[in-house]
Amino acid sequence: MPLFSTRPGRRPRLSRSLGDTQLDRVLGKVSRRGSGKAADVELIGELLEETGDDWDLRGHRVSVLAAAAAGTGIAETWLERAPDDVDALVFHCWTTLVRALEERRLDDTDALITRCHRAAELSPDDPLPWVVLLGTARVVRFDHKDVDALWRQATGRDPWNREAFLQMLALLSPEEGGSSASVLDFVDAVRTRIPANAPCAAVELTAAVRQYQGLLAQGGMRAMTASQLFESGHLAAALHQAAALWPKPGFFQHAAAPADLNVLAYALCAAGRAAEAHPVFQALQGMVTPWPWDVDGDAVQRYEQHLAKAERGRQGGIGGG
């Protein structure tokens, strides 16, 4: 699946599929049909069956489809029809997690845990049941030993699983009962081991952008000096390396690479280095993710504003911040 195009830039638009044309086709048909119909189940089931054991692509497709189908009845219909189908179980578990994270509560924790373990029994190599359980800990707040065990289970099956790293990052964040120190400890523990082009390569920049946005939200002097965050130590080096490598055609091969490039473009602009973001915007070809752009306005409008800064910075040969 080609991740980046060399065609002229397209008009910025929100993209759920992130360039996955097969996923985009299914999303379009499901959204037109409505809720919980057998045809929807068949469409999603066929796509996940075709995905096979490409764990990265599987995680991307399941997470996007679950977010689109949460509350529609599709997951429930599928599980009723095929209670021992691993795809049906994983999909139901993920839609349950989507709702739980939105509502910050889980009505039946035991049922979700049971279904995740059943999926793990049916497909022992699949990391996704364990990733869902990591996400469940964000709502239920499992014991640290249990979280560590889930982390080992997920990454033991797929060492650089993007969703596992993002769930852990959120779990440790101050917004969800953790702390900034816990996030920093986690990033410090993993960043030197992660290959530069791994699916989870953006974990350090993702954590930094979240911290930056937290500083902006505090206002005052913290907001005024927030951009200095990107000038310090390891983070400045990480941003420099990402700007040099990530936009190159073929460097990233994981399904959600455009989401990580959105994070990089945002971080460069936040650091006052908009001109360096120009190749990143070119690689994105207008594919916009809601986060990180939507924290202070419409995501597409904010993307377009920063894209314009990048254009001016490139033409003027300055940082463009």
Side-chain angles (χ1 to χ4, degrees), residues 100-315:
L101 290 172
E102 287 177 351
E103 299 171 3
R104 303 310 307 172
R105 65 184 180 87
L106 186 57
D107 293 330
D108 194 340
T109 305
D110 289 341
L112 177 57
I113 292 174
T114 298
R115 289 187 181 114
C116 285
H117 282 291
R118 179 56 178 154
E121 289 173 5
L122 292 169
S123 182
D125 294 333
D126 189 348
L128 291 194
W130 305 103
V131 174
V132 173
L133 287 171
L134 269 178
T136 304
R138 295 171 56 187
V139 181
V140 182
R141 305 306 300 183
F142 295 160
D143 180 87
H144 287 303
K145 290 183 179 179
D146 292 333
V147 171
D148 289 342
L150 294 173
W151 171 253
R152 290 194 298 272
Q153 291 282 4
T155 56
R157 288 161 172 79
D158 187 11
W160 314 121
N161 186 279
R162 183 177 184 273
E163 285 292 341
F165 277 78
L166 292 180
Q167 294 295 338
M168 183 64 90
L169 201 60
L171 173 66
L172 297 172
S173 71
E175 293 80 14
E176 297 194 12
S179 66
S180 298
S182 296
V183 171
L184 289 174
D185 287 345
F186 173 66
V187 172
D188 282 344
V190 300
R191 61 180 172 77
T192 57
R193 296 188 288 109
I194 298 173
N197 63 343
C200 60
V203 65
E204 184 173 10
L205 284 188
T206 299
V209 166
R210 289 178 178 173
Q211 184 181 359
Y212 168 80
Q213 291 179 338
L215 293 172
L216 291 183
Q218 293 179 41
M221 186 59 66
R222 287 185 179 273
M224 292 175 61
T225 60
S227 64
Q228 295 176 10
L229 174 70
F230 297 100
E231 300 173 3
S232 59
H234 295 299
L235 188 53
L239 188 59
H240 177 77
Q241 176 177 283
L245 296 178
W246 292 8
K248 291 183 176 180
F251 181 77
F252 272 152
Q253 295 294 321
H254 62 284
D260 295 335
L261 288 174
N262 271 266
V263 173
L264 174 57
Y266 181 96
L268 286 168
C269 292
R273 298 163 60 175
E276 295 176 59
H278 187 263
V280 187
F281 284 116
Q282 282 189 313
L284 280 167
Q285 293 291 304
M287 281 188 283
V288 183
T289 52
W291 188 84
W293 308 102
D294 63 359
V295 293
D296 57 355
D298 177 82
V300 174
Q301 290 180 359
R302 295 294 290 155
Y303 178 100
E304 289 176 328
Q305 290 167 2
H306 286 291
L307 172 60
K309 284 184 180 180
E311 286 282 359
R312 291 195 299 270
R314 181 182 66 92
Q315 292 168 5

